[in-house]
Amino acid sequence: VPLGEFDLIAKYFTRRSARTDVLLGVGDDAALLAVPPGRVLVAATDTLVEGRHFLAGTPPGSIGHNALAVNLSDLAAMGAEPAWALLSLSLPSPDESWLEQFAGGLLALADSFGVALVGGDTVRGPLVVTVEVLGFVEPTRALRRSGARPGDLLYVSGWPGESAAGLEILRRTGRFDETADPLVRRHLFAEPRVALGRELGGLASAAMDVSDGLLGDLRKLCAASGAGATLELESLPVSAALRARCTPAECEHWVLAGGDDYELLFTAPASAQAAIESLDRDAAAGGRPRLTRIGRIEAGQAVRCTRAGRAVDVAEAGFDHFV
Ligand code: ADP
Ligand code: MG
């Protein structure tokens, strides 16, 4: 007997949460949630469509994980603390093995960030997963894209490029079980930089999460701030895993244009440099990624790339292959 909608919700998506700010969760017409005094609500939503945002054949645990991870990344980029999530699921059929793995991936990540699933919607249709995440932030610590000023230093967290290289490996091999490969694992299980976003709340002047490629997203941050930037190509972080698999030109291409990184791209005034270097030094102990200074914000509108001080055409930097 196929599982009915109500049984499905009860079995896979209804769980007791330790959060005392969930006054009413799954089961009523809507959830009742208590925002702590002195903070503002932060809300983000993202939709993943099979064949467009993930390959057909992607393990359900990865789909569940990433559907939540991309939303947590948006909250991280605001400097916010995630609290609650809603899940809207369109499913071709109520396949129990699929549901168990999907819910397992989503709820394991939710648990690791103390996030409660408080509602959603379940319908029959093509495979489409929409998650909304709610959280909160002190209004003075919210990170916007628009705060970068000429003279600010430009940073990126972690290892941009790994996820896109992992996707390329998956496309070529179709081996979704290769999670021992760090590039494949990075693509299938994104790591939202929530702890870093919280730390940057008092330090960064602007931030965004990198989802469409570092260079393109830098242009968006600059446009929002009414500023330009210089990106120093020789400073870009290239992980050991990426370096081991790709030529230097390929590495640069993935780092600049790859996408699905979910790293934080942020700017800070020179007065915050020492504090950011200390975050970088204690990265592993604080559960945070390494931080790399990759350039600076400039007056004007232009986003320029340099290599050892010389201007470089971005097409030459390996960006054109992707457009
Ligand atoms: P309604 O018809 O009032 O929208 P639903 O039958 O869609 O009610 O949902 C019943 C309850 O189950 C609601 O609390 C809703 O938020 C929750 N819910 C439905 N689908 C999901 C899901 N996939 N994950 C979590 N909660 C869900
Ligand atoms: Mg409904």
Side-chain angles (χ1 to χ4, degrees):
V1 182
L3 203 58
E5 181 190 331
F6 298 105
D7 298 333
L8 182 160
I9 296 165
K11 184 162 179 190
Y12 294 106
F13 301 114
T14 308
R15 291 206 318 190
R16 186 182 300 280
S17 160
R19 295 194 72 98
T20 55
D21 53 12
V22 180
L23 310 182
L24 192 58
V26 171
D28 212 304
D29 293 311
L32 294 174
L33 308 167
V35 180
R39 305 217 184 165
V40 292
L41 191 63
V42 184
T45 185
D46 259 312
T47 295
L48 303 187
V49 178
E50 183 176 46
R52 186 168 172 83
H53 301 99
F54 58 90
L55 299 173
T58 299
S62 159
I63 300 169
H65 176 103
N66 278 349
L68 179 60
V70 300
N71 283 283
L72 292 175
S73 178
D74 282 325
L75 259 64
M78 299 305 292
E81 179 184 331
W84 314 296
L86 294 105
L87 165 68
S88 293
L89 192 56
S90 167
L91 275 182
S93 68
D95 174 336
E96 289 223 41
S97 149
W98 191 96
L99 277 163
E100 193 171 328
Q101 294 173 64
F102 172 84
L106 190 144
L107 293 174
L109 184 67
D111 285 347
S112 73
F113 286 100
V115 167
L117 183 64
V118 298
D121 198 24
T122 308
V123 299
R124 192 175 286 242
L127 181 54
V128 179
V129 184
T130 301
V131 170
E132 178 177 16
V133 170
L134 301 164
F136 27 78
V137 68
E138 303 79 356
T140 57
R141 292 173 71 97
L143 297 170
R144 293 168 168 81
R145 295 181 179 186
S146 56
R149 296 293 171 261
D152 284 357
L153 307 174
L154 176 66
Y155 294 88
V156 71
S157 68
W159 308 114
E162 284 199 338
S163 174
L167 172 60
E168 184 61 24
I169 292 169
L170 281 175
R171 280 212 178 96
R172 286 194 196 157
T173 65
R175 303 260 335 252
F176 288 98
D177 56 343
E178 270 304 302
T179 48
D181 182 324
L183 302 178
V184 170
R185 190 172 59 240
R186 178 65 91 99
H187 183 75
L188 293 177
F189 297 95
E191 292 173 45
R193 303 308 196 184
V194 173
L196 175 62
R198 293 295 291 153
E199 298 272 12
L200 291 177
L203 292 173
S205 50
M208 71 182 295
D209 69 326
V210 182
S211 52
D212 296 335
L214 196 160
L215 185 56
D217 284 342
L218 172 60
R219 290 198 176 105
K220 291 180 204 162
L221 187 145
C222 285
S225 293
T230 300
L231 185 63
E232 297 162 5
L233 297 178
E234 73 279 8
S235 304
L236 293 173
V238 181
S239 75
L242 196 58
R243 215 184 286 273
R245 301 287 281 275
C246 303
T247 66
E250 286 167 347
C251 287
E252 189 163 273
H253 164 71
W254 292 126
V255 172
L256 284 176
D260 291 334
D261 298 306
Y262 304 107
E263 296 294 355
L264 295 185
L265 179 67
F266 62 96
T267 64
S271 58
Q273 185 171 7
I276 289 168
E277 281 170 9
S278 121
L279 279 184
D280 174 51
R281 267 194 308 278
D282 309 334
R288 288 179 268 97
R290 296 296 309 268
L291 305 178
T292 309
R293 194 171 80 74
I294 57 171
R296 60 190 288 126
I297 299 298
E298 311 278 6
Q301 319 267 303
V303 175
R304 295 193 183 85
C305 295
T306 61
R307 201 188 304 281
R310 281 189 38 252
V312 175
D313 186 351
V314 282
E316 197 189 312
F319 192 66
D320 59 335
H321 309 289
F322 208 74
V323 182

